[in-house]
Amino acid sequence: MKKRGLIYLLLTLFISYGLYQIYVFYFDNNDNIQSIYLVPKDAVYIIESQKPINNWDAISKSEIWKHLNTNTYFNTLAKNLNKLDTIFKQQQGTFNRIGNRELLISAHVYAPKQYGFLYVVDLQKIAKLNLIKNNLNTLINSNYRVSKRNYHEHEITEVYDTKNHETLYISFIKNQMIASYTHKLVEASIDQYSQPEIGRNLNFIEVKKQVGYSDMFRLYFQYDYLDEFIKVFSNTPGYLTETLSKSFEFSGFSFDLDKNTIVANGFTNTNNQATTYLKALQKSGKGQRTISTIAPKKTALYLSFAFTSFTDFYSNFETILKENPTQFKSYLDGTEQIENVLKINLKKHFMSWIDDEIALIQLHSNVSESKKDVALILKANDIENAEEHLDYILEQIRKRTPVKFKEVNYKGYPINFMSIKGFFKIILGDLFSDIEKPYFTIIEDYVVFSNEPNTLKSIINSYITKETLSNFEAYNDFDDQFDKRSSVFAYINTPNLYNTTYDFVDAATKKQLKANKDYFICFPLIGLQFTPNKNYFKSKLVLDYQNPDFVKLNYTFDDAKQSIVLPSTPIILTEDSINKNTIFNISEIYPTDLTADQFIKKYSNGNVRFSVELKDGLKHGRYKEYYSNGVLKISGKFRKDKQVSTWRVYDLNEELIYKKRF
């Protein structure tokens, strides 16, 4: 009787335990936490997927991933994901056993020039059975050694790969499994459990809510840490990167992976330090992009700002400035100083004629030797009115400042000099501070400003030859993927950007660029669009993929150019060897300062190659050309860019061998 009672008791306990397990497994979800609560606060970006197995399978078969996977950075991401599965000995993979559950992958800079990935898998109800946690030792094959340690009352399992000498760190928190090949990231994730930051960040929550759960993946950028991430690959962040990190908080995108194009749609919110300019854009409607009409085909970056009207935009700009009394006073002091010195009215003589788009463009120029080959382009609502007011400003500059500069005509397009220090920074903010004492010209309905006159010449040349973005089929097809009206639009041509960067970096960086060239240019066109939407910017990101070999057929790259090696001994000219029809054909020059009175070009050995006197940017006065050893080769005179008087050619002994009268 006693035995029967004991059996009933044990049976009752077993049934009760079974019912409890069923309750825990199927009904009790109170102990679950969200995956995002375990992502360390310094995540640069986060990739989120609800069906990682199916989606990863689709990605791994794509042409884009097959190419990127040969790159160290992307290969590290793929290799780590694969190892999470292959360290287990069963034929059926770990993730297959876990099932299609939420997976987060976050990227972090954990030391200078060092980055790593954290993986967070929501085990959901399986976590309550502790099958993986309790049986991890039995799931690992003989190629790995398992040890355990505690960190802040949480157990970390260390799986050491005896062949590759790498350690995978795994921990389990509630319903989540966290893993990384960087122990600092697992420890940082455990620290987040008690005080999560990104998961409770209101800006992140707002963006995540707008993005939702559609498409294969969600991608979130946190701009606070973008600079540090870029420094892993480059010594200095680019202009666009710095602007983004100072202006935005989070971007969230949902996207699918097409065969040759990645199209991501989402939302972006600004941070408290966002420029006044950006905040004003958010309140000023949308405008149409048309500056591509004159922007050169070789544009590396086209950053367009558009609005319903510039008048409305500037009214919003001043209203927002007033919220910061110190900043607004500085703005008033600056504008009043300009107006008082020049006796002009900025709103009447400058702002009144600006239409619905302004843009910054960076070029890969054929004539400029400046690494800051940047132009500011303003669309005019009435170009005759704009020209009249600009002429008035120039006249006031001539009357009231010591600057003496005459208009230079380049292929029918006048180039003038607006010598007003800090003009654009004062009236438009820091975003335009690099445009300092610019030259300007007018093309169609657009006024083009640049510090470098040769940048203007490049734009003029491209326009005359119809080598503009609007005549570039690839750009037009790419542009069709975006709304025609927007607030902010960034177009990046990576082959042109590669050339622009390559020309002005040191030898070590050149080597690094060249080694990763195929991964840089495989997305030849990249576009990012922001359109105002309540308190956010509706965002769209498009990356067009092409096989790098195909890209190389369509672009000329500076790193492929052979450097010209001058002979150590100058070639001796004689009366019989010279071509009398071409010897005095002097190439066009591109002075960087149109107010200079002389232009000098040198050989690589430091000797002067030629020198010519200038007046208002034109060749005017004596011209002297030299052999590489410094001996005079050609002499003559220019008047208003034309050859005049008698020109002479000399041999290495400075003996006259030929002369011609112009």
Side-chain angles (χ1 to χ4, degrees):
M1 194 72 181
K2 290 183 178 180
K3 288 183 178 180
R4 186 180 295 176
L6 181 61
I7 290 172
Y8 283 138
L9 177 61
L10 291 174
L11 184 61
T12 302
L13 290 173
F14 179 77
I15 293 172
S16 299
Y17 178 76
L19 291 172
Y20 171 74
Q21 288 294 325
I22 291 171
Y23 167 75
V24 168
F25 190 80
Y26 288 103
F27 301 104
D28 182 17
N29 292 312
N30 294 330
D31 212 21
N32 286 355
I33 62 170
Q34 296 182 46
S35 304
I36 192 64
Y37 287 163
L38 298 178
V39 175
K41 66 177 182 179
D42 57 358
V44 182
Y45 66 79
I46 302 167
I47 300 172
E48 178 185 62
S49 176
Q50 301 303 116
K51 296 181 178 180
I53 300 171
N54 296 342
N55 293 339
W56 186 252
D57 184 59
I59 283 181
S60 63
K61 292 177 181 177
S62 70
E63 290 299 317
I64 295 176
W65 185 256
K66 286 177 182 177
H67 171 64
L68 292 179
N69 199 31
T70 60
N71 175 262
T72 303
Y73 175 78
F74 291 98
N75 183 256
T76 300
L77 175 60
K79 183 177 68 174
N80 290 352
L81 271 175
N82 291 333
K83 280 189 177 181
L84 284 176
D85 191 59
T86 57
I87 60 172
F88 296 92
K89 66 183 179 183
Q90 272 79 357
Q91 191 172 14
Q92 186 183 21
T94 305
F95 283 117
N96 283 327
R97 281 200 306 278
I98 293 172
N100 264 315
R101 303 180 185 280
E102 183 179 71
L103 168 68
L104 293 188
I105 305 171
S106 56
H108 306 260
V109 177
Y110 61 86
K113 296 286 185 179
Q114 299 292 323
Y115 65 90
F117 300 103
L118 176 76
Y119 306 89
V120 185
V121 182
D122 186 356
L123 300 178
Q124 298 176 18
K125 295 168 185 176
I126 289 178
K128 299 179 185 299
L129 300 181
N130 291 323
L131 291 176
I132 298 176
K133 180 179 180 181
N134 293 339
N135 296 284
L136 198 56
N137 282 20
T138 64
L139 298 175
I140 306 287
N141 64 36
S142 59
N143 294 326
Y144 301 89
R145 290 205 306 263
V146 178
S147 60
K148 297 182 179 182
R149 65 181 174 91
N150 287 328
Y151 177 80
H152 292 182
E153 299 180 0
H154 288 273
E155 185 179 79
I156 297 177
T157 301
E158 299 179 342
V159 183
Y160 178 70
D161 185 338
T162 57
K163 288 187 176 181
N164 297 315
H165 308 292
E166 294 178 319
T167 302
L168 174 67
Y169 303 89
I170 302 173
S171 189
F172 296 85
I173 302 178
K174 300 295 185 181
N175 53 304
Q176 304 290 346
M177 179 179 79
I178 57 177
S180 178
Y181 280 85
T182 304
H183 71 276
K184 287 185 176 181
L185 297 185
V186 171
E187 292 169 1
S189 177
I190 291 171
D191 291 338
Q192 286 294 296
Y193 171 58
S194 57
Q195 290 190 341
E197 296 196 37
I198 292 182
R200 290 182 177 177
N201 187 304
L202 293 178
N203 286 304
F204 176 79
I205 292 171
E206 289 172 357
V207 167
K208 185 176 175 65
K209 180 181 177 182
Q210 295 295 324
V211 170
Y213 290 93
S214 61
D215 298 328
M216 293 170 63
F217 295 96
R218 270 78 59 204
L219 174 65
Y220 301 97
F221 282 105
Q222 182 175 204
Y223 293 97
D224 276 352
Y225 299 96
L226 186 59
D227 282 356
E228 290 303 312
F229 187 64
I230 296 298
K231 287 177 184 177
V232 172
F233 309 97
S234 172
N235 291 329
T236 55
Y239 171 78
L240 182 59
T241 302
E242 291 178 348
T243 302
L244 290 172
S245 62
K246 290 178 181 177
S247 303
F248 297 115
E249 193 77 41
F250 288 93
S251 279
F253 297 95
S254 62
F255 66 96
D256 288 325
L257 187 64
D258 196 2
K259 183 178 180 182
N260 291 314
T261 305
I262 297 174
V263 179
N265 293 287
F267 293 84
T268 300
N269 49 22
T270 57
N271 59 29
N272 292 330
Q273 285 74 45
T275 61
T276 305
Y277 191 86
L278 193 61
K279 292 177 180 178
L281 278 170
Q282 201 168 19
K283 298 177 179 293
S284 303
K286 301 179 290 185
Q288 190 171 356
R289 300 184 302 278
T290 60
I291 284 174
S292 57
T293 304
I294 66 164
K297 179 181 177 180
K298 288 194 173 183
T299 294
L301 170 65
Y302 167 27
L303 188 57
S304 168
F305 303 97
F307 15 73
T308 305
S309 75
F310 185 81
T311 301
D312 290 343
F313 162 76
Y314 210 78
S315 175
N316 290 328
F317 180 79
E318 289 188 318
T319 299
I320 295 169
L321 267 179
K322 290 176 183 176
E323 296 174 3
N324 186 327
T326 303
Q327 193 176 9
F328 186 61
K329 184 178 184 304
S330 177
Y331 159 77
L332 288 178
D333 291 344
T335 53
E336 287 175 5
Q337 183 179 6
I338 292 173
E339 291 181 331
N340 291 336
V341 169
L342 298 180
K343 304 300 180 185
I344 61 173
N345 184 304
L346 285 173
K347 289 187 177 178
K348 174 184 177 182
H349 295 112
F350 193 80
M351 300 175 198
S352 64
W353 51 263
I354 301 176
D355 200 8
D356 59 353
E357 184 190 14
I358 68 178
L360 286 167
I361 65 171
Q362 182 177 358
L363 311 181
H364 175 230
S365 172
N366 289 327
V367 301
S368 175
E369 296 181 355
S370 170
K371 62 183 178 180
K372 288 190 176 181
D373 222 353
V374 177
L376 168 64
I377 304 177
L378 310 180
K379 181 182 177 183
N381 50 34
D382 184 335
I383 198 61
E384 292 181 358
N385 186 41
E387 196 169 357
E388 179 183 335
H389 285 312
L390 286 168
D391 284 342
Y392 179 79
I393 292 174
L394 291 176
E395 184 61 29
Q396 295 301 100
I397 291 173
R398 293 188 188 100
K399 285 180 180 179
R400 302 180 180 277
T401 71
V403 176
K404 304 299 177 186
F405 177 79
K406 291 185 179 179
E407 182 178 275
V408 175
N409 190 291
Y410 182 75
K411 298 184 179 182
Y413 292 87
I415 295 177
N416 282 287
F417 184 43
M418 184 179 283
S419 180
I420 309 175
K421 186 175 182 180
F423 180 79
F424 288 105
K425 180 180 179 180
I426 290 170
I427 64 173
L428 290 177
D430 291 339
L431 192 60
F432 301 92
S433 60
D434 284 345
I435 307 297
E436 183 78 14
K437 292 187 176 181
Y439 297 90
F440 74 90
T441 192
I442 294 175
I443 305 174
E444 286 194 7
D445 291 329
Y446 306 92
V447 184
V448 188
F449 296 87
S450 179
N451 297 344
E452 300 290 336
N454 294 326
T455 302
L456 299 182
K457 291 180 180 181
S458 290
I459 295 172
I460 291 169
N461 288 340
S462 297
Y463 178 74
I464 291 173
T465 58
K466 297 184 178 180
E467 291 287 312
T468 61
L469 286 181
S470 61
N471 290 314
F472 183 24
E473 185 178 356
Y475 170 80
N476 289 324
D477 290 343
F478 185 73
D479 187 59
D480 285 343
Q481 299 182 72
F482 296 90
D483 295 336
K484 295 303 179 185
R485 301 177 67 84
S486 60
S487 182
V488 182
F489 175 76
Y491 159 82
I492 301 169
N493 184 300
T494 58
N496 291 338
L497 188 61
Y498 178 91
N499 281 331
T500 301
T501 306
Y502 188 86
D503 286 344
F504 298 103
V505 295
D506 57 32
T509 308
K510 274 184 168 68
K511 184 177 180 181
Q512 186 180 16
L513 267 177
K514 204 166 183 177
N516 291 283
K517 177 180 177 179
D518 284 2
Y519 310 105
F520 191 72
I521 66 171
C522 69
F523 295 105
L525 304 182
I526 299 173
L528 180 63
Q529 184 177 61
F530 294 139
T531 305
N533 185 287
K534 298 180 180 179
N535 296 323
Y536 310 92
F537 281 107
K538 187 178 178 182
S539 310
K540 186 171 187 177
L541 174 67
V542 178
L543 298 92
D544 267 357
Y545 171 80
Q546 287 184 12
N547 186 296
D549 292 334
F550 183 77
V551 177
K552 291 171 187 175
L553 292 175
N554 289 280
Y555 289 89
T556 301
F557 290 93
D558 289 357
D559 61 9
K561 294 178 181 177
Q562 297 295 323
S563 57
I564 300 173
V565 180
L566 295 171
S568 56
T569 303
I571 298 173
I572 301 173
L573 293 182
T574 66
E575 186 174 358
D576 294 331
S577 68
I578 63 173
N579 186 329
K580 295 179 180 180
N581 294 321
T582 61
I583 188 65
F584 293 124
N585 290 353
I586 308 301
S587 300
E588 185 173 359
I589 65 168
Y590 299 99
T592 57
D593 182 1
L594 298 187
T595 65
D597 56 12
Q598 188 180 46
F599 181 77
I600 297 174
K601 193 82 171 177
K602 293 185 177 182
Y603 288 102
S604 57
N605 63 8
N607 289 336
V608 174
R609 188 167 189 170
F610 69 83
S611 66
V612 61
E613 294 176 345
L614 300 176
K615 185 177 182 181
D616 299 327
L618 302 176
K619 297 186 289 292
H620 188 86
R622 293 188 178 277
Y623 174 91
K624 290 185 178 182
E625 187 174 335
Y626 300 87
Y627 293 98
S628 59
N629 64 356
V631 174
L632 182 65
K633 179 180 179 182
I634 298 174
S635 67
K637 283 187 178 181
F638 281 98
R639 182 180 298 131
K640 295 182 179 180
D641 227 31
K642 293 183 179 181
Q643 290 167 288
V644 295
S645 301
T646 301
W647 281 64
R648 296 175 173 84
V649 182
Y650 303 90
D651 63 16
L652 278 173
N653 296 317
E654 292 196 39
E655 295 290 335
L656 179 66
I657 57 176
Y658 179 64
K659 64 180 179 179
K660 180 179 178 180
R661 183 82 180 174
F662 286 86

